[in-house]
Amino acid sequence: MTGFGRGKLILCGEHAVVYGFPALALAVDRGTTVTLESRPGPTEAIDSPIDDPRLPEALRLVLPEGLGVRITTDLPIGRGMGSSGALAVALVRAAAARLGESLDADTLWQRALLVERVFHGNPSGLDHAVSAHGGLVRYRRPTGGLPPKLEPLPTPVWNLVVLDSGLAGDTKAMVAGVAARRPGIDAHLTAIGDLVVTAESLLHDARALGDLLLENHRLLQAIGVSTPALDDLVGIAVGAGAYGAKLAGAGGGGVVLALVDDPAPVLVAARARGIHAFSCRIA
Ligand code: PMV
């Protein structure tokens, strides 16, 4: 009995999405697999790269007693690539497979949200929504308790390279930091929201989209979530010919995504500096 959940990258709009603005995000061809084995005793992770104290609670939420849980992933953990959202989706899929139940994307999304809340308190819901749905999407969670909306978008032809800062970002702390800097930074959050609308109309123009990603990165610097290491990764990607690059996710660590035609020069430039980098496809 197994379940798989894809990871994600936020193309543009993180942080502003918490305040009701849209974001563009994509599921990637990497993710997390959960395998269940029957065995006596309490349900526990018997093999897991995710060493999170909240994991036992997440397992209890979706699984009955008497299971051993193996987790494998090719996502960097805690780097803004949706590793907990992917785990939530994989767990819900594995639990459903055990019961011979087939889930539509909306039910999967709702159940995975309950698991994701164990890890993130009050997430915008973007991670597991994108993981459950797949592809490139526009995601918006209106303020005032209205349900989130996810709109699938056509898959563009450009490629992505991910450059890993090697440091985990703390999403909860970064979101709290942004909240504490309001209302002084509200104009920047609105500018990010406006930029996302423009980006959606330019998805097939890699050059123009790349410029917008760079502008998005500058706005993320302005709201205080970038770091010198992330700024350096953006510089390395652009110096090696990327159309544009930005931090992806909550910041404070995590990864930079670079929009490219050919991944090779950016991969070579990153690896020459000892940076873990890999190309990604929309999945
Ligand atoms: O770092 P991640 O992948 O968890 O991304 C967080 C994205 C935020 O917009 C900063 C928060 C959220 O809940 O959407």
Side-chain angles (χ1 to χ4, degrees), residues 12-193:
C12 49
E14 49 272 270
H15 286 290
V17 72
V18 173
Y19 299 101
F21 294 102
L24 302 181
L26 50 100
V28 297
D29 56 350
R30 287 177 169 243
T32 299
T33 301
V34 165
T35 307
L36 305 178
E37 300 173 7
S38 295
R39 52 160 227 176
T43 288
E44 285 172 349
I46 46 179
D47 190 6
S48 169
I50 298 169
D51 180 24
D52 188 304
R54 297 162 291 193
L55 182 59
E57 186 186 342
L59 298 183
R60 272 198 303 276
L61 203 62
V62 279
L63 298 171
E65 293 290 280
L67 294 168
V69 183
R70 287 185 198 280
I71 301 169
T72 56
T73 188
D74 57 1
L75 292 169
I77 310 286
R79 305 282 211 287
M81 289 198 68
S83 56
S84 68
L87 173 63
V89 167
L91 269 174
V92 171
R93 280 204 174 119
R98 197 182 145 268
L99 300 173
E101 196 186 357
S102 81
L103 298 177
D104 59 48
D106 275 345
T107 310
L108 177 60
W109 177 4
Q110 295 311 325
R111 288 191 194 172
L113 173 62
L114 301 177
V115 183
E116 180 73 335
R117 279 199 182 126
V118 173
F119 292 106
H120 281 315
N122 183 25
S124 70
L126 184 149
D127 278 31
H128 68 279
V130 176
S131 180
H133 196 280
L136 173 67
V137 303
R138 179 195 330 118
Y139 180 84
R140 184 164 177 258
R141 184 183 67 167
T143 48
L146 290 168
K149 272 201 173 149
L150 181 145
E151 194 69 37
L153 300 171
T155 302
V157 293
W158 33 257
N159 289 303
L160 292 168
V161 172
V162 172
L163 298 92
D164 187 351
S165 70
L167 298 168
D170 181 339
T171 299
K172 218 169 171 175
M174 299 311 287
V175 169
V178 168
R181 289 189 280 280
R182 296 186 67 207
I185 57 161
D186 281 2
H188 298 317
L189 293 171
T190 303
I192 292 174

Side-chain angles (χ1 to χ4, degrees), residues 206-231:
R207 200 163 295 282
L209 185 60
D211 288 342
L212 283 175
L213 297 192
L214 287 168
E215 178 56 18
N216 194 169
H217 186 74
R218 282 189 283 271
L219 289 164
L220 290 163
Q221 288 174 320
I223 65 168
V225 298
S226 191
T227 65
L230 293 169
D231 299 344

